[in-house]
Every structure is written in C-alpha cells, then in structure tokens.
Amino acid sequence: MKFIVALQNKMDGLREKAFDCLKKKEGQNTIEYVLMLVVVVGVAGLAGALIKKFMPELFENVKGKILGGMNSSAEY
C-alpha cells in the first residue's frame, strides 16, 4: 500500500511540473521569428544577386532549360 501511495505522490509531482512547464511563456515570439525570416530572405537575395552578377550565363542556361521544358510539356 505504501508503494501505491508513493507512486501516486510521484505522479502528482510530475503532473505539477508538466503544468508549470506549460504555463511558462519563455522563448521566441512572433517578432523574433519575423526578424529571423527577414535575415534569411535578405541573405538569400544577396547571394542570388551576387551569383547572377558573376555568373550570368548560368542563369541563362537554367532559364533556357526551364522554358524548354515548359514548351515540350505544352505539346502533350
């Protein structure tokens, strides 16, 4: 019987800890996520612009393949 009571007390303690974790409002909020997104998009855009500046023929080849694939799929 003592074992069951001890187990119930332990479960009550774990339940309280779980509820305490859910009540805490620490961590990132929406503004921080938006700022991270802006930084990632900015870095990706800057990298794309630099790559396009230094490798214009690469972009032309990719564009040609995409348009060629679209034209061949339109025939079906």
Side-chain angles (χ1 to χ4, degrees), residues 14-67:
L14 288 173
R15 188 180 312 120
E16 286 298 319
K17 285 183 182 179
F19 284 132
D20 286 344
C21 287
L22 292 175
K23 290 178 187 176
K24 292 181 182 178
K25 296 292 181 185
E26 297 175 4
Q28 288 86 2
N29 57 21
T30 306
I31 299 298
E32 290 170 336
Y33 283 118
V34 169
L35 289 174
M36 286 190 292
L37 181 65
V38 166
V39 169
V40 169
V41 169
V43 169
L46 182 63
L50 290 175
I51 289 173
K52 187 173 182 179
K53 180 180 178 183
F54 292 110
M55 296 185 211
E57 67 277 353
L58 174 69
F59 276 84
E60 291 300 319
N61 289 340
V62 170
K63 184 172 105 176
K65 288 181 181 182
I66 291 172
L67 292 176

Side-chain angles (χ1 to χ4, degrees), residues 1-12:
M1 188 70 167
K2 288 182 182 181
F3 176 73
I4 294 173
V5 172
L7 188 59
Q8 286 176 341
N9 289 339
K10 187 115 177 138
M11 290 301 293
D12 289 341

